[in-house]
Amino acid sequence: MEGAVSEREEYTLVVRKPCFGLPTACPTCLPVYFYLKFANLPFNLDFNLTYPDSDQIPYVEYGDYVAYNNEKGGVIEILKEDGIVDLDIKFCSVPEWISMKAMISSWLADAITYELWVGSDGRTAQEIYYSDLPWPIGKALFFKQIHIVKQRLGITKDNAEQKEEEIYRRANIAYGSLSTRLGEEKFLFENRPSSLDAIFLGQALITLEALPETSVLRSKLLEHDNLVRYVEKLKTEFVEGSSSSSVRHFWAESSSSAPRRGPSKWSSKPKSKPKKEKTKEEKTFKRRAKYFVATQLVAVLLFLTLMGKPGDDEVELDDDEDYE
């Protein structure tokens, strides 16, 4: 048993930095943190401050094994597929659970993305992603990300108001549906945690703790008292306190019936990628770190040059406030 515990402690979750009183304030990273907490899987928390816009973050390491966020639908899906931990085994064929997860992963994810980059003064996004970079690089990358987000959400000068109304309307519907579904239970389905809870809890905590008081999304969430109590209770238990034994058995039950594509995670290492691939990745990261500032400066110059071409009016940098 002591050997098994030792192996379990080798897991490392790499995320963006902590801020706003949260272990990480990144909307992509925080759900993975809660997923591992719900699973009662011991892990070390590490922070990558070098590549704030990397789509590989978050990622989970375990010896030679690494699960990057930009592969196979994200870290949580990889951990499930590789037989490491699956909290969704009893829900994956439940239509209401599937539709709820799709709604959270699309409508609410779009809403928080909009608030971070477009619908607020931008201070929160800059604190989460760019505050550790030199000011000119951080500011330019911030404007670049605004441009990317507007493209992804389909926002133009002509439809900005309609898109904003649609985003908040969908978020309001999502909160209403989740509030009805939750009632006074501790978790959203069958009073047991799943990735649905992890994703929503991560989003909701960032909405309540990191977004400004003037946030429209925050005000809509605060209209649902039971959702706020749900968030506060789980934050107390899994951020401010220790994981409870009441969650531990949920993982044990689901794992006992889950089909395994590899060896048991308690007795040996999970299915791994080739060691030389991981070693090469580490070397690449270290080598690239030495030239990060120079390459980002080149990227910024190219971006500003392209954005300055006539006819490109989707992002008006002159109209953006200087938030410093």
mmCIF file with all atom_site columns, all heavy atoms in Angstrom, residues 76-100:
data_model
loop_
_atom_site.group_PDB
_atom_site.id
_atom_site.type_symbol
_atom_site.label_atom_id
_atom_site.label_alt_id
_atom_site.label_comp_id
_atom_site.label_asym_id
_atom_site.label_entity_id
_atom_site.label_seq_id
_atom_site.pdbx_PDB_ins_code
_atom_site.Cartn_x
_atom_site.Cartn_y
_atom_site.Cartn_z
_atom_site.occupancy
_atom_site.B_iso_or_equiv
_atom_site.pdbx_formal_charge
_atom_site.auth_seq_id
_atom_site.auth_comp_id
_atom_site.auth_asym_id
_atom_site.auth_atom_id
_atom_site.pdbx_PDB_model_num
ATOM 1   N N   . ILE A 1 76  ? -8.854  16.192 -19.326 1.00 0.00 ? 76  ILE A N   1
ATOM 2   C CA  . ILE A 1 76  ? -9.818  15.317 -18.658 1.00 0.00 ? 76  ILE A CA  1
ATOM 3   C C   . ILE A 1 76  ? -10.189 14.137 -19.541 1.00 0.00 ? 76  ILE A C   1
ATOM 4   O O   . ILE A 1 76  ? -10.238 12.986 -19.080 1.00 0.00 ? 76  ILE A O   1
ATOM 5   C CB  . ILE A 1 76  ? -11.071 16.112 -18.238 1.00 0.00 ? 76  ILE A CB  1
ATOM 6   C CG1 . ILE A 1 76  ? -10.722 17.103 -17.129 1.00 0.00 ? 76  ILE A CG1 1
ATOM 7   C CG2 . ILE A 1 76  ? -12.179 15.170 -17.772 1.00 0.00 ? 76  ILE A CG2 1
ATOM 8   C CD1 . ILE A 1 76  ? -11.866 18.010 -16.711 1.00 0.00 ? 76  ILE A CD1 1
ATOM 9   N N   . GLU A 1 77  ? -10.429 14.388 -20.807 1.00 0.00 ? 77  GLU A N   1
ATOM 10  C CA  . GLU A 1 77  ? -10.794 13.304 -21.722 1.00 0.00 ? 77  GLU A CA  1
ATOM 11  C C   . GLU A 1 77  ? -9.635  12.319 -21.898 1.00 0.00 ? 77  GLU A C   1
ATOM 12  O O   . GLU A 1 77  ? -9.842  11.111 -22.014 1.00 0.00 ? 77  GLU A O   1
ATOM 13  C CB  . GLU A 1 77  ? -11.218 13.874 -23.081 1.00 0.00 ? 77  GLU A CB  1
ATOM 14  C CG  . GLU A 1 77  ? -12.509 14.671 -23.036 1.00 0.00 ? 77  GLU A CG  1
ATOM 15  C CD  . GLU A 1 77  ? -13.671 13.855 -22.475 1.00 0.00 ? 77  GLU A CD  1
ATOM 16  O OE1 . GLU A 1 77  ? -13.845 12.689 -22.897 1.00 0.00 ? 77  GLU A OE1 1
ATOM 17  O OE2 . GLU A 1 77  ? -14.392 14.378 -21.607 1.00 0.00 ? 77  GLU A OE2 1
ATOM 18  N N   . ILE A 1 78  ? -8.412  12.831 -21.910 1.00 0.00 ? 78  ILE A N   1
ATOM 19  C CA  . ILE A 1 78  ? -7.251  11.945 -22.037 1.00 0.00 ? 78  ILE A CA  1
ATOM 20  C C   . ILE A 1 78  ? -7.118  11.064 -20.805 1.00 0.00 ? 78  ILE A C   1
ATOM 21  O O   . ILE A 1 78  ? -6.866  9.852  -20.902 1.00 0.00 ? 78  ILE A O   1
ATOM 22  C CB  . ILE A 1 78  ? -5.963  12.765 -22.247 1.00 0.00 ? 78  ILE A CB  1
ATOM 23  C CG1 . ILE A 1 78  ? -6.029  13.551 -23.560 1.00 0.00 ? 78  ILE A CG1 1
ATOM 24  C CG2 . ILE A 1 78  ? -4.738  11.852 -22.259 1.00 0.00 ? 78  ILE A CG2 1
ATOM 25  C CD1 . ILE A 1 78  ? -4.863  14.504 -23.765 1.00 0.00 ? 78  ILE A CD1 1
ATOM 26  N N   . LEU A 1 79  ? -7.286  11.650 -19.625 1.00 0.00 ? 79  LEU A N   1
ATOM 27  C CA  . LEU A 1 79  ? -7.187  10.873 -18.391 1.00 0.00 ? 79  LEU A CA  1
ATOM 28  C C   . LEU A 1 79  ? -8.250  9.777  -18.346 1.00 0.00 ? 79  LEU A C   1
ATOM 29  O O   . LEU A 1 79  ? -8.003  8.669  -17.853 1.00 0.00 ? 79  LEU A O   1
ATOM 30  C CB  . LEU A 1 79  ? -7.329  11.789 -17.173 1.00 0.00 ? 79  LEU A CB  1
ATOM 31  C CG  . LEU A 1 79  ? -6.243  12.845 -16.978 1.00 0.00 ? 79  LEU A CG  1
ATOM 32  C CD1 . LEU A 1 79  ? -6.541  13.710 -15.755 1.00 0.00 ? 79  LEU A CD1 1
ATOM 33  C CD2 . LEU A 1 79  ? -4.864  12.208 -16.858 1.00 0.00 ? 79  LEU A CD2 1
ATOM 34  N N   . LYS A 1 80  ? -9.420  10.070 -18.876 1.00 0.00 ? 80  LYS A N   1
ATOM 35  C CA  . LYS A 1 80  ? -10.480 9.060  -18.935 1.00 0.00 ? 80  LYS A CA  1
ATOM 36  C C   . LYS A 1 80  ? -10.129 7.970  -19.944 1.00 0.00 ? 80  LYS A C   1
ATOM 37  O O   . LYS A 1 80  ? -10.218 6.775  -19.658 1.00 0.00 ? 80  LYS A O   1
ATOM 38  C CB  . LYS A 1 80  ? -11.805 9.718  -19.306 1.00 0.00 ? 80  LYS A CB  1
ATOM 39  C CG  . LYS A 1 80  ? -12.386 10.603 -18.212 1.00 0.00 ? 80  LYS A CG  1
ATOM 40  C CD  . LYS A 1 80  ? -13.424 11.582 -18.744 1.00 0.00 ? 80  LYS A CD  1
ATOM 41  C CE  . LYS A 1 80  ? -14.572 10.893 -19.443 1.00 0.00 ? 80  LYS A CE  1
ATOM 42  N NZ  . LYS A 1 80  ? -15.611 11.852 -19.858 1.00 0.00 ? 80  LYS A NZ  1
ATOM 43  N N   . GLU A 1 81  ? -9.702  8.385  -21.125 1.00 0.00 ? 81  GLU A N   1
ATOM 44  C CA  . GLU A 1 81  ? -9.401  7.430  -22.193 1.00 0.00 ? 81  GLU A CA  1
ATOM 45  C C   . GLU A 1 81  ? -8.218  6.534  -21.831 1.00 0.00 ? 81  GLU A C   1
ATOM 46  O O   . GLU A 1 81  ? -8.200  5.340  -22.165 1.00 0.00 ? 81  GLU A O   1
ATOM 47  C CB  . GLU A 1 81  ? -9.116  8.175  -23.493 1.00 0.00 ? 81  GLU A CB  1
ATOM 48  C CG  . GLU A 1 81  ? -8.847  7.275  -24.679 1.00 0.00 ? 81  GLU A CG  1
ATOM 49  C CD  . GLU A 1 81  ? -8.640  8.053  -25.965 1.00 0.00 ? 81  GLU A CD  1
ATOM 50  O OE1 . GLU A 1 81  ? -9.214  9.157  -26.087 1.00 0.00 ? 81  GLU A OE1 1
ATOM 51  O OE2 . GLU A 1 81  ? -7.905  7.562  -26.848 1.00 0.00 ? 81  GLU A OE2 1
ATOM 52  N N   . ASP A 1 82  ? -7.247  7.083  -21.151 1.00 0.00 ? 82  ASP A N   1
ATOM 53  C CA  . ASP A 1 82  ? -6.052  6.308  -20.801 1.00 0.00 ? 82  ASP A CA  1
ATOM 54  C C   . ASP A 1 82  ? -6.218  5.493  -19.513 1.00 0.00 ? 82  ASP A C   1
ATOM 55  O O   . ASP A 1 82  ? -5.262  4.891  -19.034 1.00 0.00 ? 82  ASP A O   1
ATOM 56  C CB  . ASP A 1 82  ? -4.842  7.244  -20.659 1.00 0.00 ? 82  ASP A CB  1
ATOM 57  C CG  . ASP A 1 82  ? -4.375  7.790  -22.003 1.00 0.00 ? 82  ASP A CG  1
ATOM 58  O OD1 . ASP A 1 82  ? -4.862  7.304  -23.035 1.00 0.00 ? 82  ASP A OD1 1
ATOM 59  O OD2 . ASP A 1 82  ? -3.523  8.700  -22.016 1.00 0.00 ? 82  ASP A OD2 1
ATOM 60  N N   . GLY A 1 83  ? -7.420  5.486  -18.961 1.00 0.00 ? 83  GLY A N   1
ATOM 61  C CA  . GLY A 1 83  ? -7.694  4.635  -17.813 1.00 0.00 ? 83  GLY A CA  1
ATOM 62  C C   . GLY A 1 83  ? -7.095  5.099  -16.513 1.00 0.00 ? 83  GLY A C   1
ATOM 63  O O   . GLY A 1 83  ? -6.895  4.300  -15.603 1.00 0.00 ? 83  GLY A O   1
ATOM 64  N N   . ILE A 1 84  ? -6.792  6.392  -16.384 1.00 0.00 ? 84  ILE A N   1
ATOM 65  C CA  . ILE A 1 84  ? -6.202  6.903  -15.150 1.00 0.00 ? 84  ILE A CA  1
ATOM 66  C C   . ILE A 1 84  ? -7.294  7.227  -14.136 1.00 0.00 ? 84  ILE A C   1
ATOM 67  O O   . ILE A 1 84  ? -7.249  6.785  -12.991 1.00 0.00 ? 84  ILE A O   1
ATOM 68  C CB  . ILE A 1 84  ? -5.324  8.134  -15.442 1.00 0.00 ? 84  ILE A CB  1
ATOM 69  C CG1 . ILE A 1 84  ? -4.145  7.721  -16.316 1.00 0.00 ? 84  ILE A CG1 1
ATOM 70  C CG2 . ILE A 1 84  ? -4.832  8.769  -14.139 1.00 0.00 ? 84  ILE A CG2 1
ATOM 71  C CD1 . ILE A 1 84  ? -3.291  8.861  -16.779 1.00 0.00 ? 84  ILE A CD1 1
ATOM 72  N N   . VAL A 1 85  ? -8.268  7.997  -14.548 1.00 0.00 ? 85  VAL A N   1
ATOM 73  C CA  . VAL A 1 85  ? -9.400  8.276  -13.665 1.00 0.00 ? 85  VAL A CA  1
ATOM 74  C C   . VAL A 1 85  ? -10.598 8.689  -14.527 1.00 0.00 ? 85  VAL A C   1
ATOM 75  O O   . VAL A 1 85  ? -10.469 9.516  -15.434 1.00 0.00 ? 85  VAL A O   1
ATOM 76  C CB  . VAL A 1 85  ? -9.055  9.380  -12.638 1.00 0.00 ? 85  VAL A CB  1
ATOM 77  C CG1 . VAL A 1 85  ? -8.638  10.666 -13.312 1.00 0.00 ? 85  VAL A CG1 1
ATOM 78  C CG2 . VAL A 1 85  ? -10.207 9.613  -11.686 1.00 0.00 ? 85  VAL A CG2 1
ATOM 79  N N   . ASP A 1 86  ? -11.748 8.089  -14.246 1.00 0.00 ? 86  ASP A N   1
ATOM 80  C CA  . ASP A 1 86  ? -12.969 8.371  -15.000 1.00 0.00 ? 86  ASP A CA  1
ATOM 81  C C   . ASP A 1 86  ? -14.129 8.545  -14.027 1.00 0.00 ? 86  ASP A C   1
ATOM 82  O O   . ASP A 1 86  ? -14.662 7.572  -13.495 1.00 0.00 ? 86  ASP A O   1
ATOM 83  C CB  . ASP A 1 86  ? -13.263 7.241  -15.988 1.00 0.00 ? 86  ASP A CB  1
ATOM 84  C CG  . ASP A 1 86  ? -14.413 7.597  -16.940 1.00 0.00 ? 86  ASP A CG  1
ATOM 85  O OD1 . ASP A 1 86  ? -15.060 8.645  -16.715 1.00 0.00 ? 86  ASP A OD1 1
ATOM 86  O OD2 . ASP A 1 86  ? -14.646 6.834  -17.885 1.00 0.00 ? 86  ASP A OD2 1
ATOM 87  N N   . LEU A 1 87  ? -14.503 9.794  -13.780 1.00 0.00 ? 87  LEU A N   1
ATOM 88  C CA  . LEU A 1 87  ? -15.633 10.082 -12.898 1.00 0.00 ? 87  LEU A CA  1
ATOM 89  C C   . LEU A 1 87  ? -16.963 10.044 -13.642 1.00 0.00 ? 87  LEU A C   1
ATOM 90  O O   . LEU A 1 87  ? -18.020 10.153 -13.017 1.00 0.00 ? 87  LEU A O   1
ATOM 91  C CB  . LEU A 1 87  ? -15.460 11.465 -12.267 1.00 0.00 ? 87  LEU A CB  1
ATOM 92  C CG  . LEU A 1 87  ? -14.280 11.662 -11.323 1.00 0.00 ? 87  LEU A CG  1
ATOM 93  C CD1 . LEU A 1 87  ? -14.236 13.117 -10.849 1.00 0.00 ? 87  LEU A CD1 1
ATOM 94  C CD2 . LEU A 1 87  ? -14.358 10.724 -10.134 1.00 0.00 ? 87  LEU A CD2 1
ATOM 95  N N   . ASP A 1 88  ? -16.911 9.886  -14.966 1.00 0.00 ? 88  ASP A N   1
ATOM 96  C CA  . ASP A 1 88  ? -18.121 10.009 -15.779 1.00 0.00 ? 88  ASP A CA  1
ATOM 97  C C   . ASP A 1 88  ? -18.685 8.678  -16.239 1.00 0.00 ? 88  ASP A C   1
ATOM 98  O O   . ASP A 1 88  ? -19.614 8.642  -17.042 1.00 0.00 ? 88  ASP A O   1
ATOM 99  C CB  . ASP A 1 88  ? -17.832 10.879 -17.010 1.00 0.00 ? 88  ASP A CB  1
ATOM 100 C CG  . ASP A 1 88  ? -17.350 12.268 -16.646 1.00 0.00 ? 88  ASP A CG  1
ATOM 101 O OD1 . ASP A 1 88  ? -17.588 12.688 -15.493 1.00 0.00 ? 88  ASP A OD1 1
ATOM 102 O OD2 . ASP A 1 88  ? -16.734 12.926 -17.505 1.00 0.00 ? 88  ASP A OD2 1
ATOM 103 N N   . ILE A 1 89  ? -18.151 7.577  -15.734 1.00 0.00 ? 89  ILE A N   1
ATOM 104 C CA  . ILE A 1 89  ? -18.493 6.273  -16.262 1.00 0.00 ? 89  ILE A CA  1
ATOM 105 C C   . ILE A 1 89  ? -19.990 5.981  -16.174 1.00 0.00 ? 89  ILE A C   1
ATOM 106 O O   . ILE A 1 89  ? -20.553 5.315  -17.036 1.00 0.00 ? 89  ILE A O   1
ATOM 107 C CB  . ILE A 1 89  ? -17.673 5.166  -15.539 1.00 0.00 ? 89  ILE A CB  1
ATOM 108 C CG1 . ILE A 1 89  ? -17.816 3.826  -16.243 1.00 0.00 ? 89  ILE A CG1 1
ATOM 109 C CG2 . ILE A 1 89  ? -18.065 5.082  -14.070 1.00 0.00 ? 89  ILE A CG2 1
ATOM 110 C CD1 . ILE A 1 89  ? -17.182 3.792  -17.597 1.00 0.00 ? 89  ILE A CD1 1
ATOM 111 N N   . LYS A 1 90  ? -20.659 6.496  -15.144 1.00 0.00 ? 90  LYS A N   1
ATOM 112 C CA  . LYS A 1 90  ? -22.079 6.227  -14.971 1.00 0.00 ? 90  LYS A CA  1
ATOM 113 C C   . LYS A 1 90  ? -22.971 7.282  -15.620 1.00 0.00 ? 90  LYS A C   1
ATOM 114 O O   . LYS A 1 90  ? -24.197 7.172  -15.584 1.00 0.00 ? 90  LYS A O   1
ATOM 115 C CB  . LYS A 1 90  ? -22.414 6.114  -13.481 1.00 0.00 ? 90  LYS A CB  1
ATOM 116 C CG  . LYS A 1 90  ? -21.788 4.890  -12.826 1.00 0.00 ? 90  LYS A CG  1
ATOM 117 C CD  . LYS A 1 90  ? -22.401 4.607  -11.472 1.00 0.00 ? 90  LYS A CD  1
ATOM 118 C CE  . LYS A 1 90  ? -21.867 3.291  -10.911 1.00 0.00 ? 90  LYS A CE  1
ATOM 119 N NZ  . LYS A 1 90  ? -22.498 2.934  -9.612  1.00 0.00 ? 90  LYS A NZ  1
ATOM 120 N N   . PHE A 1 91  ? -22.364 8.305  -16.202 1.00 0.00 ? 91  PHE A N   1
ATOM 121 C CA  . PHE A 1 91  ? -23.149 9.391  -16.773 1.00 0.00 ? 91  PHE A CA  1
ATOM 122 C C   . PHE A 1 91  ? -23.013 9.524  -18.287 1.00 0.00 ? 91  PHE A C   1
ATOM 123 O O   . PHE A 1 91  ? -23.799 10.233 -18.913 1.00 0.00 ? 91  PHE A O   1
ATOM 124 C CB  . PHE A 1 91  ? -22.737 10.729 -16.142 1.00 0.00 ? 91  PHE A CB  1
ATOM 125 C CG  . PHE A 1 91  ? -22.854 10.766 -14.654 1.00 0.00 ? 91  PHE A CG  1
ATOM 126 C CD1 . PHE A 1 91  ? -21.755 11.054 -13.862 1.00 0.00 ? 91  PHE A CD1 1
ATOM 127 C CD2 . PHE A 1 91  ? -24.062 10.508 -14.033 1.00 0.00 ? 91  PHE A CD2 1
ATOM 128 C CE1 . PHE A 1 91  ? -21.855 11.092 -12.479 1.00 0.00 ? 91  PHE A CE1 1
ATOM 129 C CE2 . PHE A 1 91  ? -24.177 10.540 -12.651 1.00 0.00 ? 91  PHE A CE2 1
ATOM 130 C CZ  . PHE A 1 91  ? -23.070 10.838 -11.879 1.00 0.00 ? 91  PHE A CZ  1
ATOM 131 N N   . CYS A 1 92  ? -22.013 8.880  -18.873 1.00 0.00 ? 92  CYS A N   1
ATOM 132 C CA  . CYS A 1 92  ? -21.681 9.135  -20.276 1.00 0.00 ? 92  CYS A CA  1
ATOM 133 C C   . CYS A 1 92  ? -22.797 8.754  -21.245 1.00 0.00 ? 92  CYS A C   1
ATOM 134 O O   . CYS A 1 92  ? -22.755 9.160  -22.409 1.00 0.00 ? 92  CYS A O   1
ATOM 135 C CB  . CYS A 1 92  ? -20.382 8.423  -20.649 1.00 0.00 ? 92  CYS A CB  1
ATOM 136 S SG  . CYS A 1 92  ? -20.416 6.651  -20.382 1.00 0.00 ? 92  CYS A SG  1
ATOM 137 N N   . SER A 1 93  ? -23.790 7.986  -20.802 1.00 0.00 ? 93  SER A N   1
ATOM 138 C CA  . SER A 1 93  ? -24.913 7.624  -21.677 1.00 0.00 ? 93  SER A CA  1
ATOM 139 C C   . SER A 1 93  ? -26.225 8.258  -21.220 1.00 0.00 ? 93  SER A C   1
ATOM 140 O O   . SER A 1 93  ? -27.291 7.938  -21.741 1.00 0.00 ? 93  SER A O   1
ATOM 141 C CB  . SER A 1 93  ? -25.073 6.098  -21.726 1.00 0.00 ? 93  SER A CB  1
ATOM 142 O OG  . SER A 1 93  ? -25.328 5.575  -20.431 1.00 0.00 ? 93  SER A OG  1
ATOM 143 N N   . VAL A 1 94  ? -26.162 9.182  -20.257 1.00 0.00 ? 94  VAL A N   1
ATOM 144 C CA  . VAL A 1 94  ? -27.357 9.862  -19.758 1.00 0.00 ? 94  VAL A CA  1
ATOM 145 C C   . VAL A 1 94  ? -27.589 11.121 -20.584 1.00 0.00 ? 94  VAL A C   1
ATOM 146 O O   . VAL A 1 94  ? -26.768 12.052 -20.544 1.00 0.00 ? 94  VAL A O   1
ATOM 147 C CB  . VAL A 1 94  ? -27.197 10.229 -18.270 1.00 0.00 ? 94  VAL A CB  1
ATOM 148 C CG1 . VAL A 1 94  ? -28.431 10.984 -17.768 1.00 0.00 ? 94  VAL A CG1 1
ATOM 149 C CG2 . VAL A 1 94  ? -26.961 8.972  -17.432 1.00 0.00 ? 94  VAL A CG2 1
ATOM 150 N N   . PRO A 1 95  ? -28.681 11.197 -21.359 1.00 0.00 ? 95  PRO A N   1
ATOM 151 C CA  . PRO A 1 95  ? -28.890 12.336 -22.272 1.00 0.00 ? 95  PRO A CA  1
ATOM 152 C C   . PRO A 1 95  ? -28.848 13.699 -21.582 1.00 0.00 ? 95  PRO A C   1
ATOM 153 O O   . PRO A 1 95  ? -28.253 14.642 -22.103 1.00 0.00 ? 95  PRO A O   1
ATOM 154 C CB  . PRO A 1 95  ? -30.277 12.049 -22.864 1.00 0.00 ? 95  PRO A CB  1
ATOM 155 C CG  . PRO A 1 95  ? -30.424 10.571 -22.775 1.00 0.00 ? 95  PRO A CG  1
ATOM 156 C CD  . PRO A 1 95  ? -29.739 10.174 -21.510 1.00 0.00 ? 95  PRO A CD  1
ATOM 157 N N   . GLU A 1 96  ? -29.485 13.817 -20.407 1.00 0.00 ? 96  GLU A N   1
ATOM 158 C CA  . GLU A 1 96  ? -29.515 15.119 -19.740 1.00 0.00 ? 96  GLU A CA  1
ATOM 159 C C   . GLU A 1 96  ? -28.120 15.539 -19.297 1.00 0.00 ? 96  GLU A C   1
ATOM 160 O O   . GLU A 1 96  ? -27.753 16.714 -19.396 1.00 0.00 ? 96  GLU A O   1
ATOM 161 C CB  . GLU A 1 96  ? -30.455 15.078 -18.533 1.00 0.00 ? 96  GLU A CB  1
ATOM 162 C CG  . GLU A 1 96  ? -30.641 16.453 -17.900 1.00 0.00 ? 96  GLU A CG  1
ATOM 163 C CD  . GLU A 1 96  ? -31.574 16.428 -16.697 1.00 0.00 ? 96  GLU A CD  1
ATOM 164 O OE1 . GLU A 1 96  ? -32.037 15.336 -16.315 1.00 0.00 ? 96  GLU A OE1 1
ATOM 165 O OE2 . GLU A 1 96  ? -31.817 17.513 -16.129 1.00 0.00 ? 96  GLU A OE2 1
ATOM 166 N N   . TRP A 1 97  ? -27.321 14.595 -18.816 1.00 0.00 ? 97  TRP A N   1
ATOM 167 C CA  . TRP A 1 97  ? -25.959 14.908 -18.409 1.00 0.00 ? 97  TRP A CA  1
ATOM 168 C C   . TRP A 1 97  ? -25.136 15.369 -19.616 1.00 0.00 ? 97  TRP A C   1
ATOM 169 O O   . TRP A 1 97  ? -24.393 16.355 -19.533 1.00 0.00 ? 97  TRP A O   1
ATOM 170 C CB  . TRP A 1 97  ? -25.312 13.678 -17.771 1.00 0.00 ? 97  TRP A CB  1
ATOM 171 C CG  . TRP A 1 97  ? -23.933 13.905 -17.235 1.00 0.00 ? 97  TRP A CG  1
ATOM 172 C CD1 . TRP A 1 97  ? -23.595 14.325 -15.989 1.00 0.00 ? 97  TRP A CD1 1
ATOM 173 C CD2 . TRP A 1 97  ? -22.684 13.721 -17.934 1.00 0.00 ? 97  TRP A CD2 1
ATOM 174 N NE1 . TRP A 1 97  ? -22.222 14.422 -15.855 1.00 0.00 ? 97  TRP A NE1 1
ATOM 175 C CE2 . TRP A 1 97  ? -21.637 14.049 -17.026 1.00 0.00 ? 97  TRP A CE2 1
ATOM 176 C CE3 . TRP A 1 97  ? -22.361 13.301 -19.219 1.00 0.00 ? 97  TRP A CE3 1
ATOM 177 C CZ2 . TRP A 1 97  ? -20.296 13.980 -17.385 1.00 0.00 ? 97  TRP A CZ2 1
ATOM 178 C CZ3 . TRP A 1 97  ? -21.016 13.237 -19.572 1.00 0.00 ? 97  TRP A CZ3 1
ATOM 179 C CH2 . TRP A 1 97  ? -20.000 13.570 -18.665 1.00 0.00 ? 97  TRP A CH2 1
ATOM 180 N N   . ILE A 1 98  ? -25.298 14.679 -20.739 1.00 0.00 ? 98  ILE A N   1
ATOM 181 C CA  . ILE A 1 98  ? -24.564 15.034 -21.958 1.00 0.00 ? 98  ILE A CA  1
ATOM 182 C C   . ILE A 1 98  ? -24.934 16.436 -22.419 1.00 0.00 ? 98  ILE A C   1
ATOM 183 O O   . ILE A 1 98  ? -24.066 17.249 -22.764 1.00 0.00 ? 98  ILE A O   1
ATOM 184 C CB  . ILE A 1 98  ? -24.842 14.005 -23.063 1.00 0.00 ? 98  ILE A CB  1
ATOM 185 C CG1 . ILE A 1 98  ? -24.290 12.628 -22.664 1.00 0.00 ? 98  ILE A CG1 1
ATOM 186 C CG2 . ILE A 1 98  ? -24.235 14.455 -24.394 1.00 0.00 ? 98  ILE A CG2 1
ATOM 187 C CD1 . ILE A 1 98  ? -24.701 11.509 -23.592 1.00 0.00 ? 98  ILE A CD1 1
ATOM 188 N N   . SER A 1 99  ? -26.234 16.745 -22.425 1.00 0.00 ? 99  SER A N   1
ATOM 189 C CA  . SER A 1 99  ? -26.670 18.065 -22.893 1.00 0.00 ? 99  SER A CA  1
ATOM 190 C C   . SER A 1 99  ? -26.219 19.167 -21.936 1.00 0.00 ? 99  SER A C   1
ATOM 191 O O   . SER A 1 99  ? -25.829 20.261 -22.371 1.00 0.00 ? 99  SER A O   1
ATOM 192 C CB  . SER A 1 99  ? -28.190 18.093 -23.057 1.00 0.00 ? 99  SER A CB  1
ATOM 193 O OG  . SER A 1 99  ? -28.844 17.875 -21.821 1.00 0.00 ? 99  SER A OG  1
ATOM 194 N N   . MET A 1 100 ? -26.248 18.881 -20.614 1.00 0.00 ? 100 MET A N   1
ATOM 195 C CA  . MET A 1 100 ? -25.780 19.863 -19.636 1.00 0.00 ? 100 MET A CA  1
ATOM 196 C C   . MET A 1 100 ? -24.294 20.151 -19.823 1.00 0.00 ? 100 MET A C   1
ATOM 197 O O   . MET A 1 100 ? -23.860 21.307 -19.774 1.00 0.00 ? 100 MET A O   1
ATOM 198 C CB  . MET A 1 100 ? -26.028 19.345 -18.220 1.00 0.00 ? 100 MET A CB  1
ATOM 199 C CG  . MET A 1 100 ? -27.459 19.453 -17.750 1.00 0.00 ? 100 MET A CG  1
ATOM 200 S SD  . MET A 1 100 ? -27.845 21.128 -17.192 1.00 0.00 ? 100 MET A SD  1
ATOM 201 C CE  . MET A 1 100 ? -29.520 20.884 -16.604 1.00 0.00 ? 100 MET A CE  1
#
